[in-house]
Amino acid sequence: MTLSGYFAVFLAASCAAAATGMVFKPGDWYAALRKPSFTPPGWVFPVVWSYLYVSLAYAAARVAETEGSQLALALFALQIALNTLWTPVFFGARRMAFGMVVIALLWGAVAAMGLAFLRLDLIAGLLVAPYLIWLSLAAALNWRIWRDNRAL
Amino acid sequence: MTLSGYFAVFLAASCAAAATGMVFKPGDWYAALRKPSFTPPGWVFPVVWSYLYVSLAYAAARVAETEGSQLALALFALQIALNTLWTPVFFGARRMAFGMVVIALLWGAVAAMGLAFLRLDLIAGLLVAPYLIWLSLAAALNWRIWRDNRAL
């Protein structure tokens, strides 16, 4: 399999995760929630996620071309499933506490994947860092929004 | 990585997909839909899915222990993301047409994964067959329910 072939498969998996954002939009419910001061403006989210999904697919493709990358790819599968789960849980079912559990597990899976990538390919490992930083912000947001909107 | 280690990672990914079924239950909406005569009773779905998720995680773990299994694992990642997407789209957003698109893509991804598994490990490949058969039934159900409930 070529790098671009792998890239296509991982990008398709990322598109499945991204599709949740088109089906479950924040809408009026999210707009009315109390949000912390560090909440980015709405347009930032699709821009950042688009970059992250593409760079992640490229990183995974680099890793897939490396021998002994099975664990790294298993962790990719785990994080893309958790990533696909979060948006419907938070914006669809509006279950903020369960969303917090999912994003915590997602953070752990991405951290483990980042280490596995780093051991196989320096560039691939470094490409995971922005994803982990963004998830840290997203987790902090989820936590604060949950805490500050218990009554809803 | 041991077989049981891989199994744990793939089972965790499958649990993320399975969690959608606990968050988005069929409920009154589904009960009131016109359904074809071949619709299985409700209790069959969690039983079959539980078996499929466990057997699939085991099949993927066998494959992960095999050299050159990167493409097979990339296809596992694709199908688990699409699998996680389908339930929120159909039962959460109640978008039956989009659900049909997702399940068609899922069927294709699982068929490709089954072939990739089969080339690496006979048992793993055979374990994918029930999943593909069940998805064929699920796709037929999605299609008929969409066609027969356009007005909703």
Side-chain angles (χ1 to χ4, degrees):
Chain A
M1 192 74 167
T2 62
L3 184 78
S4 55
Y6 281 124
F7 177 70
V9 176
F10 291 120
L11 193 64
S14 295
C15 285
T20 61
M22 286 158 227
V23 174
F24 298 99
K25 291 186 199 293
D28 295 340
W29 171 76
Y30 177 76
L33 292 174
R34 285 189 61 186
K35 286 181 285 290
S37 58
F38 60 85
T39 307
W43 63 265
V44 171
F45 292 88
V47 172
V48 170
W49 277 113
S50 298
Y51 165 76
L52 291 176
Y53 283 131
V54 173
S55 68
L56 186 66
Y58 173 69
R62 288 181 66 98
V63 161
E65 287 215 305
T66 312
E67 259 187 58
S69 57
Q70 280 83 353
L71 176 60
L73 299 185
L75 292 167
F76 179 94
L78 176 57
Q79 66 80 27
I80 204 68
L82 288 166
N83 188 304
T84 308
L85 178 61
W86 186 84
T87 301
V89 165
F90 192 90
F91 289 114
R94 298 174 184 178
R95 291 178 63 170
M96 296 185 265
F98 188 46
M100 196 62 227
V101 173
V102 174
I103 209 164
L105 294 170
L106 176 57
W107 197 96
V110 171
M113 181 184 74
L115 289 174
F117 277 24
L118 205 58
R119 282 181 57 187
L120 296 160
D121 183 280
L122 178 64
I123 293 173
L126 293 176
L127 284 170
V128 177
Y131 184 18
L132 203 57
I133 292 166
W134 182 254
L135 279 181
S136 305
L137 175 69
L141 262 178
N142 187 327
W143 175 266
R144 281 291 301 272
I145 291 173
W146 175 42
R147 198 194 68 177
D148 296 347
N149 299 275
R150 292 275 174 101
L152 295 178
Chain B
M1 192 72 168
T2 61
L3 183 77
S4 56
Y6 280 124
F7 177 70
V9 176
F10 291 121
L11 193 64
S14 295
C15 284
T20 60
M22 286 158 227
V23 175
F24 299 100
K25 291 184 196 294
D28 294 341
W29 172 77
Y30 177 76
L33 291 174
R34 286 189 60 187
K35 286 180 284 291
S37 58
F38 60 85
T39 307
W43 63 267
V44 171
F45 292 88
V47 172
V48 170
W49 277 113
S50 298
Y51 165 74
L52 291 176
Y53 283 132
V54 173
S55 68
L56 186 66
Y58 173 68
R62 287 182 65 98
V63 161
E65 288 215 307
T66 313
E67 259 187 58
S69 57
Q70 280 82 355
L71 176 59
L73 299 185
L75 292 167
F76 179 94
L78 176 57
Q79 68 80 27
I80 204 68
L82 289 166
N83 188 305
T84 308
L85 178 62
W86 185 84
T87 301
V89 165
F90 192 90
F91 289 114
R94 299 173 182 178
R95 291 178 62 169
M96 297 186 266
F98 188 45
M100 196 62 227
V101 172
V102 174
I103 209 164
L105 293 170
L106 176 57
W107 196 96
V110 171
M113 181 184 73
L115 289 174
F117 278 23
L118 205 58
R119 282 183 56 188
L120 296 160
D121 182 280
L122 178 63
I123 292 173
L126 294 175
L127 284 170
V128 178
Y131 185 18
L132 203 57
I133 293 166
W134 182 255
L135 279 181
S136 305
L137 174 70
L141 262 177
N142 187 327
W143 175 266
R144 280 290 300 273
I145 291 174
W146 174 42
R147 198 195 68 178
D148 296 347
N149 299 276
R150 292 278 174 98
L152 296 178

